[in-house]
Amino acid sequence: MKTATFKIWRGDAKSGTFRDYTTDVAEGMVVLDAVHDIQRTQAPDLACRWNCKAGKCGSCSAEVNGMPKLMCMTRLSELPLEKPVTIEPMKAFPVIKDLVTDISWNFQVKKTRRTVPGEWSKRISIVCRNSGNASSVIFVRTSATFCATTRCMKNL
C-alpha cells in the first residue's frame, strides 16, 4: 500500500498553520477518504464538513493543491502524490475552524433569487467575496444553480 503526505490547514479565523499528516492510500480513494482516515487515526479534532459524498451538495469543498475542488470527487490517483497534497479552506469564505468555512452567504443569495421554472433567469452579478468587485456576469438556468463554493454549475 502506498502512503501520501497531506499538508492540512489547521486553525480558525484569527490564525492557523499547515500541519503534515501521512496516511495510507488505497486504489479508488478520494481526498475526503484520506481526511477521514487522518481524523480517525491522527487528528480527531480536525474540523471538516461533508454531507452526500456524491458530488451533489458542495459541503466538502476545499482548495486542494491551490485549486477549488470537491474533496469527495477528487481522486488521489489524479494527484501527484510524490509531493505533499495541500488541503486548505476555500479562500472565498471566512474560516470557522480548520477546513470548515462560513457559507451562510450562499443561503442568503438563494433566498433572494426568484426564478420561473423553464425560463432563463435575469443576469446575476456574482461578487467575489475577497475583493468586493464583480468578477463575472453569468446566465443561470433555472434548473441549475451557480455554486460559489466550487465555482461551477450544479443541476438540481
Side-chain angles (χ1 to χ4, degrees):
M1 190 174 280
K2 292 196 304 189
T3 62
T5 302
F6 295 86
K7 292 178 77 71
I8 300 178
W9 195 89
R10 302 294 309 268
D12 57 22
K14 295 176 186 164
S15 67
T17 186
F18 284 96
R19 294 207 185 133
D20 290 348
Y21 299 95
T22 303
T23 189
D24 291 330
V25 175
E27 183 69 30
M29 280 181 73
V30 293
V31 172
L32 186 60
D33 295 329
V35 169
H36 284 162
D37 189 57
I38 290 166
Q39 280 181 317
R40 184 177 51 80
T41 60
Q42 302 170 55
D45 62 334
L46 173 62
C48 172
R49 182 182 286 137
W50 68 281
N51 189 33
C52 72
K53 205 169 184 281
K56 300 290 184 192
C57 71
S59 294
C60 67
S61 59
E63 297 207 6
V64 178
N65 288 342
M67 297 296 297
K69 301 277 187 181
L70 293 175
M71 290 191 291
C72 69
M73 300 301 288
T74 306
R75 298 218 169 267
L76 292 176
S77 60
E78 297 171 355
L79 297 174
L81 298 180
E82 57 276 356
K83 55 185 179 180
V85 176
T86 304
I87 306 171
E88 58 190 309
M90 293 291 293
K91 292 182 180 121
F93 299 101
V95 174
I96 295 174
K97 183 179 183 221
D98 300 336
L99 301 176
V100 177
T101 57
D102 180 5
I103 57 171
S104 60
W105 178 77
N106 280 355
F107 301 110
Q108 293 167 359
V109 169
K110 190 166 179 80
K111 283 181 187 176
T112 62
R113 212 179 102 214
R114 299 192 189 279
T115 57
V116 178
E119 294 181 11
W120 288 89
S121 67
K122 296 179 181 177
R123 287 185 180 203
I124 298 173
S125 180
I126 304 299
V127 177
C128 178
R129 300 270 301 182
N130 289 340
S131 66
N133 298 327
S135 59
S136 63
V137 177
I138 61 167
F139 285 103
V140 179
R141 190 177 168 134
T142 57
S143 63
T145 190
F146 181 80
C147 180
T149 308
T150 58
R151 300 178 192 157
C152 66
M153 296 298 288
K154 290 275 184 189
N155 287 325
L156 299 177

